[in-house]
Amino acid sequence: MISVKNALDIIDSFPKIYTSEKVNLQDALNLVLFENVSSPINMPPFRQSAMDGYAIKYSEQEKYTVVKESKAGDSGNHSLKVGEAVRIFTGALVPDDGDTVVMQEHVERNGDSILIQKMPEQFANIRKTGEQIKVGEIALKKGTKLNEAAIGFLACLGITTVTVYKIPKVTILVTGNELQKPGTDLEIGKIYESNSVMLKAVLQKSGIKDIEIIAVKDDYQETKTSIKNALEINDILLVSGGISVGDYDFVKEALLENKVEELFYKINQKPGKPLWFGKKQNTYVFALPGNPASALTCFYIYALPLIRKMCGYKNNHLQKVIAKSKSVIKNPSEKTLFLKANLEGEFVEVLQGQSSAMLYTYAMSNVLICVASETAEIKIGEEVTCIKLEM
């Protein structure tokens, strides 16, 4: 059995083995750029009016004659002499000889004649060519997570595809004779299988799309064969249940028989002690405890950072914050505790129902309080470390 720190150090120690793929920009939300993206054009590509108004060749006079009109999308250019104006609209091409746009609110128009009531400074209200970005400049750097604004920005540059970190393929292997599919009449001695549904949801929230779910009975040969097949086609294998030391827990034996290298087994923590982690070539395996809350905690603390690392995230681990405890927390176990809790402002409160089988309390939580193994007690008002359950 190892400490939480040692387990995390082992996971974090692996070199970043990345693969990339090219995707359509419209499908790239929340993906991470694998390489710098350079702008193929100037933006704006021509001098644009920033206002509805009148383009002029700046002078001291107040009266001008309107000779043309330029609206957004027009491609024709216009020559301008001093004393002439072009009626212009936001986003429209500014005449080559025009150097100033007067807001329409500051102009009195009478037929083809305008009187400027408030003259702006020369060069006002014109967006210069390449003002936002010039051709060849880096638009977005490698490692940028593409949010909706980033996607919109690249689209305005005419970009339609991007090279991103390839999202890992994940299989969830669920074991247990006692498990029954939700939506069926529950038989005596059975429970509804929820871990695959829960893990698929949190994977999808993490940006994983290629997810397969396989259910196996507590049978050694079936478990061994299913693991063998999953190892051949996945980047991550999550096994739910069957990792303890009962007579019908075959997962560890089946993993070792499939030549998966054991990197650690059992962590000095509560919940989630019987966590197994291993590796075969470039496929990583987390054998999670069967109890739902334990499985979810182990996913958040150990599996998620590795997945985020493979996806190219800069910050692999969930955010930690310091808060003041509203609860007395006792820890006689000398284990690291991960407690479901609710954070409000600078205070955090431990919730009732900390059993490793209880998901109800998890549903009400927005943080996990992490209590170090060497900390025997935390008093009300003392500071604690909280792991925010946000992605």
Side-chain angles (χ1 to χ4, degrees):
M1 185 163 61
I2 66 173
S3 69
V4 170
K5 182 181 183 305
N6 287 344
L8 289 173
D9 286 345
I10 289 172
I11 293 172
D12 289 340
S13 68
F14 288 104
K16 299 180 179 181
I17 302 173
Y18 297 130
T19 56
S20 65
E21 61 179 342
K22 185 170 286 189
V23 300
N24 290 328
L25 182 63
Q26 61 188 7
D27 298 324
L29 182 64
N30 292 328
L31 301 183
V32 178
L33 287 177
F34 188 80
E35 58 191 16
N36 293 340
V37 178
S38 298
S39 178
I41 62 170
N42 291 313
M43 180 50 63
F46 52 86
R47 292 195 310 147
Q48 289 181 330
S49 176
M51 299 284 179
D52 291 343
Y54 295 86
I56 63 171
K57 192 170 186 178
Y58 188 85
S59 71
E60 296 295 328
Q61 64 188 70
E62 298 176 348
K63 197 170 183 179
Y64 290 77
T65 300
V66 180
V67 294
K68 295 284 185 181
E69 180 179 273
S70 179
K71 59 183 182 295
D74 287 350
S75 57
N77 213 325
H78 310 288
S79 60
L80 268 182
K81 300 176 182 176
V82 174
E84 293 182 338
V86 170
R87 175 67 168 126
I88 198 165
F89 299 90
T90 303
L93 177 70
V94 176
D96 285 344
D97 296 325
D99 59 13
T100 304
V101 171
V102 185
M103 295 172 58
Q104 64 182 19
E105 292 86 349
H106 299 160
V107 172
E108 179 183 324
R109 180 163 180 172
N110 185 11
D112 290 334
S113 178
I114 62 170
L115 181 65
I116 298 176
Q117 298 173 324
K118 182 179 179 181
M119 179 68 76
E121 293 183 1
Q122 190 176 14
F123 310 117
N125 303 321
I126 294 178
R127 301 169 184 157
K128 298 178 182 178
T129 302
E131 182 178 75
Q132 185 173 182
I133 188 170
K134 292 180 173 58
V135 61
E137 290 183 343
I138 293 176
L140 292 176
K141 292 182 178 180
K142 173 182 178 178
T144 300
K145 184 179 178 182
L146 295 171
N147 58 19
E148 56 274 20
I151 288 174
F153 175 50
L154 294 181
C156 83
L157 300 177
I159 292 170
T160 58
T161 61
V162 286
T163 301
V164 296
Y165 288 86
K166 188 175 181 179
I167 300 299
K169 175 177 171 55
V170 181
T171 282
I172 304 167
L173 183 68
V174 182
T175 69
N177 292 337
E178 76 281 10
L179 301 177
Q180 189 173 324
K181 188 176 181 180
T184 59
D185 292 333
L186 191 62
E187 301 174 15
I188 295 175
K190 304 283 189 179
I191 59 172
Y192 286 126
E193 193 281 303
S194 61
N195 281 5
S196 68
V197 180
M198 173 185 70
L199 291 171
K200 182 177 181 180
V202 73
L203 284 166
Q204 289 175 327
K205 189 177 180 181
S206 307
I208 308 299
K209 300 175 183 178
D210 195 350
I211 305 166
E212 183 180 9
I213 297 174
I214 300 173
V216 298
K217 299 296 184 182
D218 289 323
D219 176 85
Y220 172 69
Q221 192 58 47
E222 185 179 349
T223 303
K224 176 183 171 183
T225 301
S226 296
I227 288 175
K228 177 180 181 297
N229 294 336
L231 289 169
E232 292 174 353
I233 59 173
N234 286 278
D235 303 293
I236 299 282
L237 172 60
L238 301 177
V239 184
S240 170
I243 195 58
S244 295
V245 291
D247 292 345
Y248 296 95
D249 291 325
F250 300 119
V251 169
K252 180 181 177 182
E253 184 182 355
L255 286 167
L256 295 177
E257 187 65 23
N258 276 294
K259 302 293 190 279
V260 182
E261 178 188 2
E262 179 180 307
L263 298 167
F264 63 73
Y265 177 44
K266 295 184 179 179
I267 303 176
N268 188 37
Q269 68 179 35
K270 185 178 180 182
K273 172 185 172 182
L275 173 66
W276 192 96
F277 175 60
K279 179 178 181 291
K280 183 175 182 179
Q281 296 176 342
N282 290 328
T283 300
Y284 297 91
V285 180
F286 291 91
L288 306 169
N291 280 321
S294 292
L296 187 56
T297 295
C298 288
F299 179 88
Y300 280 136
I301 303 302
Y302 303 101
L304 180 61
L306 181 58
I307 290 172
R308 288 163 69 111
K309 185 177 186 180
M310 296 173 76
C311 293
Y313 282 48
K314 294 178 181 177
N315 299 313
N316 302 329
H317 296 270
L318 293 176
Q319 182 185 2
K320 292 183 179 180
V321 296
I322 302 298
K324 295 178 182 178
S325 178
K326 294 177 67 175
S327 314
V328 174
I329 304 173
K330 295 184 181 293
N331 182 21
S333 67
E334 297 184 346
K335 298 179 184 294
T336 296
L337 303 183
F338 294 105
L339 302 174
K340 293 164 278 187
N342 190 45
L343 175 68
E344 292 185 5
E346 60 178 322
F347 295 96
V348 63
E349 183 175 15
V350 177
L351 301 181
Q352 296 297 316
Q354 293 295 324
S355 166
S356 60
M358 291 184 179
L359 280 179
Y360 171 76
T361 310
Y362 235 131
M364 302 297 107
S365 302
N366 58 11
V367 296
L368 291 174
I369 293 176
C370 180
V371 180
S373 57
E374 61 271 18
T375 301
E377 182 179 1
I378 292 174
K379 297 180 173 61
I380 292 176
E382 290 186 343
E383 291 186 339
V384 291
T385 298
C386 300
I387 301 169
K388 298 181 76 172
L389 302 178
E390 297 176 354
M391 296 185 220

